Amino acid sequence: MFDLSGMTALVTGASGGIGSAIAHALAGQGARLAVSGSNGDKLEAFRASLGGDHVALPCDLSDGAAVDALVPRAVEALDGKLDILVNNAGVTRDNLTMRMKDEEWDTVIRVNLEAAFRLMRAAAKPMMKARFGRMISITSVVGATGNPGQANYAASKAGLVGMSKALAQELGSRGVTINCVAPGFIRSAMTDALPDAQKAALTARIPSGTLGTGEDVGAAVAYLASREANYVTGQTIHVNGGMAMI
């Protein structure tokens, strides 16, 4: 099951923690990847670590023209087709709403939401032509629950869910599914560095009693990217250990 052999995928933010786990999950199931990120050297090193015939496509997601060119670049690099798009890249600019600067709002919306819209709009064309496609956006539990100091981030992630539902209705008859994966607290270098008391406070909110891993998120993405998920569209899979049962 979940054999992605012969399928191609574009993954943004691929050299980051969750992004790299997603890329490994898709490549491990046989997909050929175009991995994208803003740091060209880091991205190329990650591409090399994947092994196989994958390609690296650096892109600044805050640059609208660069974003518009990314899907055509990926289609060309992947021998003329794109089966899977994973909108994983994201940024934070946390601040209380009363103190949030316009730049902090604009940057998060531009990278997290607008770039995803531009990529989905571009990917719709080759996927509709092929009458097959999978678009998967990585949202967040805070897009459903909110979080103080993250009005911009929560808005961008909630926006991804609404946008995905609209596009799922537009493209459903063409064999293209549109879904989201919403991680909760995921183990990372940042969480590993937290004091034990803070780690305990975090896990106390999670019924499973532990933080998630990038591999947990990657597994959900691999399922949604597969042919077996053909009848799943407009949905959000919450990967949060029960922290928010939505």
Side-chain angles (χ1 to χ4, degrees):
M1 293 180 69
F2 311 152
D3 182 3
L4 306 181
S5 297
M7 297 173 70
T8 61
L10 169 61
V11 181
T12 67
S15 58
I18 290 178
S20 64
I22 291 170
H24 276 290
L26 297 180
Q29 296 304 112
R32 183 175 178 230
L33 307 185
V35 292
S36 187
S38 58
N39 186 321
D41 292 339
K42 183 179 179 182
L43 186 67
E44 176 56 32
F46 174 69
R47 183 209 62 78
S49 74
L50 279 175
D53 187 23
H54 308 293
V55 296
L57 300 176
C59 183
D60 177 2
L61 293 187
S62 67
D63 181 340
V67 175
D68 287 341
L70 182 57
V71 166
R73 290 171 62 203
V75 170
E76 181 179 7
L78 297 172
D79 299 327
K81 70 168 188 162
L82 180 65
D83 300 301
I84 304 160
L85 168 66
V86 182
N87 290 312
N88 167 72
V91 298
T92 57
R93 297 291 187 273
D94 297 350
N95 211 341
L96 294 175
T97 300
M98 294 292 291
R99 299 174 183 171
M100 187 171 289
K101 299 177 177 63
D102 290 349
E103 181 184 355
E104 292 170 333
W105 172 271
D106 291 344
T107 296
V108 170
I109 297 299
R110 186 180 307 116
V111 173
N112 296 7
L113 184 57
E114 181 185 326
F117 163 73
R118 288 176 178 270
L119 292 172
M120 293 166 85
R121 180 176 62 183
K125 297 174 183 178
M127 290 181 181
M128 289 172 67
K129 184 177 180 180
R131 301 192 73 83
F132 179 87
R134 301 285 187 261
M135 299 191 202
I136 303 154
S137 293
I138 307 304
T139 63
S140 169
V141 65
V142 307
T145 65
N147 199 40
Q150 290 193 311
N152 49 2
Y153 186 75
S156 72
K157 294 302 187 179
L160 283 173
V161 173
M163 182 168 65
S164 296
K165 290 180 179 180
L167 194 54
Q169 294 179 56
E170 293 177 15
L171 301 185
S173 65
R174 303 299 184 93
V176 182
T177 65
I178 322 289
N179 293 289
C180 295
V181 175
F185 290 142
I186 301 299
R187 189 177 301 122
S188 66
M190 183 177 68
T191 59
D192 288 344
L194 291 174
D196 289 343
Q198 282 187 261
K199 290 181 185 176
L202 282 178
T203 56
R205 299 170 57 186
I206 305 171
S208 68
T210 185
L211 301 182
T213 67
E215 288 73 20
D216 294 325
V217 180
V221 172
Y223 163 65
L224 291 174
S226 72
R227 295 174 180 85
E228 287 84 354
N230 190 58
Y231 205 51
V232 179
T233 194
Q235 305 302 315
T236 299
I237 296 180
H238 289 270
V239 182
N240 62 35
M243 185 183 79
M245 300 185 185
I246 300 165

